[in-house]
Amino acid sequence: MAMKRTGKRLIGGALLAAVSGIGLSLYSSRVARLAEDLVPAEGRFLDVAGARLHYIDVGSGPTIVMVHGLAGQLRNFSYALVDLLKDDYRVIVVDRPGSGYSTATGAMPGIIGQGAIIADFIQKLGLDRPLLVGHSLGGALSLAVGLDHPHLVRALALIAPLTQPLEQVPESFRGLARIPSGARLAFAQVLGTPLSRLTAKKTLEGVFAPEAVPEDFITRGGGALSARPIAIAAAAADLAGANDDVTAMVGRYAEIGLPVRILFGRQDAILDPAWNGHRTAAVIPGAKIDTIEGGHMIPITAPEACARFVRAAFAAG
């Protein structure tokens, strides 16, 4: 009898877990649909080697291509910065594979692989050596383009870039680091999205610190899209592979022959300006670094300063 009762409890527990898992998965799907209703795709799509990329293309004149960071998407730039540049430049802002509305067509590529995808994107659009602007993880990707495809771009403008191996994962992203590599999408579907909703306020406060999170960031800044299971799984993969690719790149920085400018907020709580800014500028020939008051999300919180920086980087190229 005791064995029968134990068996029934085990079966009951398994059924409860299954029902709970289904409920959480349905909740995550509903969150994803709501996010896409709040922040719909607003640009064009282009198939390139390894991805289908979503991008916006505005303005006219010499070209700037912008690449966002970890768990972000193109509205991190279109929030304010694009409008400050589009009267004088053609500005193209692209979702990285797995972010926003861009998708990888095979295995999720790392930083170097995404650099190759952006290089193909530049070629497919027939762009004539644009200025490449990268924020945060997008800065590492931009450096990968500068190392492996330097003939395609005129210069690099790196805003709060990841340029050195992470000594520790920033607190705001430690949840991503705990997602098991073998089942990222399944984990994100069942647990990642519900947990992200519970921790969203604290996470965003950490990413923007010491500055306040704009009240309209969820929609105008695209923040809602980061809670979707597909975005969580992609961000976890980005984070897991970042150190390997960046470590491989660091030893090659002295080879970069392009003009490189770096901008950091002095109070950046995500990436250390000394480690990722000054240290890197010292080994890239001719690189220059500027700092301003602000945190990690200066494309949103200090768009005028970022626009001046981008204009100066273009002129230097």
Side-chain angles (χ1 to χ4, degrees), residues 88-282:
D88 299 306
Y89 302 93
R90 178 185 179 187
V91 184
I92 299 172
V93 189
V94 59
D95 284 333
R96 291 188 301 101
S99 300
Y101 286 95
S102 290
T103 54
T105 53
M108 185 65 189
I111 289 170
I112 294 172
Q114 290 185 45
I117 285 170
I118 294 301
D120 194 39
F121 174 74
I122 290 170
Q123 291 178 295
K124 288 279 175 64
L125 286 179
L127 305 180
D128 181 17
R129 298 181 67 241
L131 173 70
L132 185 57
V133 178
H135 174 238
S136 195
L137 188 77
L141 188 155
S142 299
L143 284 166
V145 175
L147 285 165
D148 294 334
H149 313 276
H151 60 290
L152 295 178
V153 294
R154 65 183 292 134
L156 305 179
L158 312 178
I159 302 174
L162 171 69
T163 67
Q164 300 286 336
L166 289 168
E167 296 181 300
Q168 63 178 9
V169 176
E171 183 178 354
S172 296
F173 297 120
R174 286 177 190 166
L176 291 174
R178 298 187 186 104
I179 295 178
S181 60
R184 288 191 179 105
L185 186 56
F187 183 94
Q189 182 73 34
V190 176
L191 290 174
T193 290
L195 288 173
S196 76
R197 292 295 295 262
L198 291 173
T199 60
K201 183 176 184 293
K202 182 180 179 182
T203 297
L204 285 177
E205 287 175 348
V207 171
F208 274 85
E211 296 160 305
V213 182
E215 292 183 1
D216 57 356
F217 175 72
I218 293 300
T219 51
R220 182 177 164 189
L225 295 181
S226 65
R228 297 174 305 161
I230 189 171
I232 292 171
D238 284 336
L239 183 60
N243 268 6
D244 287 343
D245 277 4
V246 171
T247 299
M249 290 162 52
V250 165
R252 299 179 57 201
Y253 285 163
E255 302 172 14
I256 296 177
L258 296 168
V260 176
R261 294 193 67 152
I262 299 172
L263 179 69
F264 256 102
R266 285 188 281 272
Q267 293 79 36
D268 195 317
I270 299 298
L271 296 174
D272 179 15
W275 179 248
N276 288 280
H278 293 282
R279 180 184 180 90
T280 300

Side-chain angles (χ1 to χ4, degrees), residues 11-27 190:
I11 293 171
L15 287 173
L16 179 61
V19 170
S20 299
I22 292 170
L24 289 170
S25 180
L26 291 172
Y27 170 79
V190 176

